[in-house]
Amino acid sequence: MEERLRELISIPAIRAAVIIVGSILAAKLIEWMLSRTLVALARRTASALDDQLVDATRRPIFISVVLIGLGWGTDELPLSAGAQGGIHAVLETLAVLIWSGASFRIGALVLGALSKRSFGIVDARTIPVFDMLLKVVVIGTAVYFGFLAWDIDLTAWLASAGIIGIAIGFAAKDTLANLFSGIFIVADAPYKVGDFIVLDGGLRGQVIKIGIRSTRVLTRDDIEVTVPNAVIAASKIVNETGGPDVKQRVRVGVDCAYGSDIDKIRAVLLACPKAAEHISPDPTPEVRFVEFGGSGLRFELRVWISDPAKRGAVIDDLHCRIYKAFQAAGIEIPYSKHDVYIKELPARSSLS
């Protein structure tokens, strides 16, 4: 029996198969140990992060042990050095890809957990920046180890990359400008997703996505406008949702004829916002006598709204209410008029 086993073990293919099967069993054993120890310990904590990290690393560890067994088993086969080197390079490349994917997932989990706790500079608005840096580091590391797996000399590649990088920098300067502007916008946070902004050109809408290259704004006409970040970085931005409170003040101006009772005008205007939709009761509406205009007395009704998206609807409703209220109260809304005085008529022609 022992001689038979020795004869079987002396066969390279059988030795390789035994090693591969043993690596699979070892991977199963390690996975079972992780589920019995680390998973059990993670479940005792209040945070869900450790459970997610264990779940993200369990499968890559299992596959890595199997890949090690495959590489070890390949060494037992009577293959040429080139063939064995190619198999090892493939296996190492697979390991690099698997752990790169796991690194993406682990990094996203850690960044998400840190942003919820407002850990220093890592918060919800800076997550895209750190996510991009994580991807650059992971991809760069994966490419480096991938080259090492295939025994590729990096010296020449790095020299070429420097020249190519300069050429790409000149060719894609606009793209790079948008990229760096996107990083500064995310870091400086002049606005966030959900805010209503107004740009220099008059574009007004709700921010629905902040990307590294551009920002998407949804207008009140339900039109999505993509604005390059470089354009936004060079523009004056009015954030209607900014400030310590999301409320926004709306001003509605109206002219009244000279000779009107200003106390009556003030009372009529203050009654207009009552029972109107989308108007916040706090702060309370107010009326201001703004100026003596060329055709009438200029008054301004000021109210507060909680949703900037309702600004147009509120202004329309107030205009209708003010017009009807002034008609009912007999308050005249003057129109622009000018008196023309003729100082002197031209002399009559002798022919007439």
Side-chain angles (χ1 to χ4, degrees):
M1 186 65 179
E2 294 180 359
E3 293 181 358
R4 181 59 179 169
L5 290 175
R6 290 176 182 175
E7 291 178 0
L8 292 175
I9 293 176
S10 63
I11 300 174
I14 293 179
R15 289 202 305 271
V18 170
I19 292 173
I20 293 172
V21 172
S23 66
I24 295 175
L25 294 176
K28 286 289 186 181
L29 178 61
I30 293 174
E31 187 177 25
W32 177 82
M33 292 176 62
L34 288 176
S35 63
R36 295 286 293 181
T37 56
L38 295 180
V39 175
L41 292 174
R43 288 176 179 173
R44 296 179 181 178
T45 60
S47 175
L49 177 61
D50 42 12
D51 300 276
Q52 295 170 342
L53 292 177
V54 171
D55 184 64
T57 56
R58 185 166 54 182
R59 183 55 57 179
I61 291 174
F62 174 84
I63 297 176
S64 298
V65 174
V66 174
L67 292 177
I68 292 173
L70 291 174
W72 189 11
T74 302
D75 294 336
E76 299 295 330
L77 297 176
L79 301 175
S80 62
Q84 286 188 348
I87 294 175
H88 280 282
V90 171
L91 295 176
E92 291 174 5
T93 304
L94 290 175
V96 169
L97 294 176
I98 290 168
W99 280 104
S100 297
S103 299
F104 284 136
R105 185 179 177 186
I106 293 170
L109 291 173
V110 173
L111 290 177
L114 293 178
S115 65
K116 293 179 182 178
R117 299 178 182 179
S118 297
F119 186 79
I121 61 173
V122 182
D123 53 28
R125 62 184 175 84
T126 58
I127 282 294
V129 177
F130 288 99
D131 183 63
M132 184 190 67
L133 294 176
L134 171 67
K135 291 178 180 178
V136 171
V137 172
V138 172
I139 292 175
T141 305
V143 171
Y144 174 76
F145 283 104
F147 280 8
L148 291 182
W150 292 93
D151 293 329
I152 298 176
D153 186 12
L154 297 178
T155 305
W157 285 87
L158 292 175
S160 302
I163 299 174
I164 295 174
I166 295 174
I168 293 176
F170 282 107
K173 59 181 181 179
D174 293 336
T175 302
L176 292 176
N178 290 326
L179 175 65
F180 287 110
S181 298
I183 295 174
F184 296 144
I185 287 173
V186 172
D188 191 44
Y191 54 82
K192 61 182 182 298
V193 175
D195 286 355
F196 274 82
I197 62 173
V198 182
L199 300 182
D200 278 345
L203 175 66
R204 177 180 182 268
Q206 185 179 25
V207 179
I208 59 176
K209 184 178 180 181
I210 303 175
I212 297 300
R213 193 194 67 84
S214 62
T215 296
R216 296 182 184 179
V217 179
L218 186 66
T219 67
R220 297 303 301 152
D221 297 325
D222 199 28
I223 298 175
E224 183 179 302
V225 181
T226 302
V227 186
N229 286 331
V231 174
I232 294 181
S235 302
K236 181 180 72 174
I237 304 171
V238 178
N239 189 345
E240 295 184 352
T241 321
D245 200 324
V246 296
K247 294 180 181 179
Q248 178 185 8
R249 187 160 65 177
V250 175
R251 305 165 185 258
V252 178
V254 61
D255 289 340
C256 303
Y258 279 99
S260 302
D261 186 348
I262 60 174
D263 295 326
K264 183 179 180 181
I265 294 171
R266 189 181 300 273
V268 171
L269 287 176
L270 285 176
C272 290
K274 294 180 179 179
E277 295 181 352
H278 313 302
I279 294 180
S280 176
D282 184 27
T284 58
E286 61 180 9
V287 175
R288 288 287 184 268
F289 186 171
V290 180
E291 63 178 346
F292 295 94
S295 301
L297 307 175
R298 183 72 174 176
F299 284 83
E300 197 172 75
L301 174 62
R302 301 174 181 179
V303 298
W304 291 84
I305 59 176
S306 300
D307 186 0
K310 305 299 182 182
R311 179 185 179 89
V314 169
I315 293 176
D316 172 75
D317 185 29
L318 289 178
H319 279 157
C320 295
R321 288 172 178 266
I322 291 172
Y323 185 76
K324 293 177 182 179
F326 275 27
Q327 279 189 326
I331 300 174
E332 179 185 355
I333 301 178
Y335 55 87
S336 179
K337 54 186 177 182
H338 302 276
D339 294 330
V340 178
Y341 296 92
I342 301 176
K343 183 177 181 181
E344 182 179 355
L345 292 175
R348 287 189 175 186
S349 173
S350 60
L351 297 178
S352 58

